[in-house]
């Protein structure tokens, strides 16, 4: 194999490893606190990512809701959940390995990773 072919192969492998590294793993437990009419409410998000598909739940003292239509693309992700015959869509972005920003029509949240 000549030097040019070897260089192109090395470059392709480096690009492939960089794109795999860019796929942020948000799998795990995350928390936030929201202010509401009855006071503060803690939400716990359980995310699991496999092959670009995001699954999981959102839990509070009122119960647990499954995520729907979840997907991850690089450092961005999205999902929906249904509550009282209404679907709420969310988009998110990885800020750091321990912080996420999640936005919906109801506002913006900062989620913090829970170390277990």
């Amino acid at each position: 194999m000549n030097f040019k072919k070897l260089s192109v192969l090395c470059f392709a492998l480096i690009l492939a490893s960089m794109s795999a590294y860019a796929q942020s793993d948000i799998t795990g437990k995350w928390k936030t606190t929201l202010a509401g009419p009855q006071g503060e409410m803690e939400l716990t998000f359980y995310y699991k990512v496999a092959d670009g598909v995001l699954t999981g739940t959102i839990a509070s003292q009122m119960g647990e809701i499954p995520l729907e239509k979840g997907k991850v693309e690089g450092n961005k992700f999205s999902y929906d959940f249904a509550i009282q015959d209404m679907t709420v869509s969310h988009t998110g972005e990885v800020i750091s390995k321990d912080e996420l920003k999640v936005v919906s029509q109801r506002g913006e949240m900062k989620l913090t990773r829970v170390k277990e």
Side-chain angles (χ1 to χ4, degrees):
M1 188 179 289
N2 67 28
F3 181 74
K4 186 176 180 180
K5 286 182 182 178
L6 184 59
S7 297
V8 170
L9 178 61
C10 288
F11 183 70
L13 289 172
I14 289 170
L15 283 180
S17 66
M18 287 173 63
S19 66
Y21 179 75
Q23 182 82 321
S24 298
D25 188 11
I26 61 172
T27 295
K29 185 177 178 181
W30 301 81
K31 288 201 177 211
T32 193
T33 303
L34 296 179
Q38 280 82 36
E40 290 189 341
M41 177 171 34
E42 186 174 273
L43 298 176
T44 304
F45 297 74
Y46 297 94
Y47 292 148
K48 182 173 182 187
V49 179
D51 297 323
V53 177
L54 172 62
T55 58
T57 59
I58 302 171
S60 73
Q61 49 274 46
M62 297 170 56
E64 204 171 82
I65 301 170
L67 303 181
E68 302 171 354
K69 300 180 186 175
K71 64 181 178 179
V72 176
E73 295 175 348
N75 70 339
K76 299 196 183 283
F77 58 96
S78 62
Y79 57 85
D80 298 341
F81 68 80
I83 186 167
Q84 297 176 349
D85 298 326
M86 179 176 66
T87 299
V88 182
S89 297
H90 291 76
T91 57
E93 182 177 1
V94 177
I95 303 301
S96 72
K97 68 180 183 118
D98 293 323
E99 186 178 20
L100 305 175
K101 177 175 83 170
V102 178
V103 179
S104 74
Q105 59 264 41
R106 296 181 177 251
E108 182 177 308
M109 300 179 282
K110 297 279 185 186
L111 278 58
T112 304
R113 185 182 295 272
V114 175
K115 306 221 185 212
E116 299 181 287

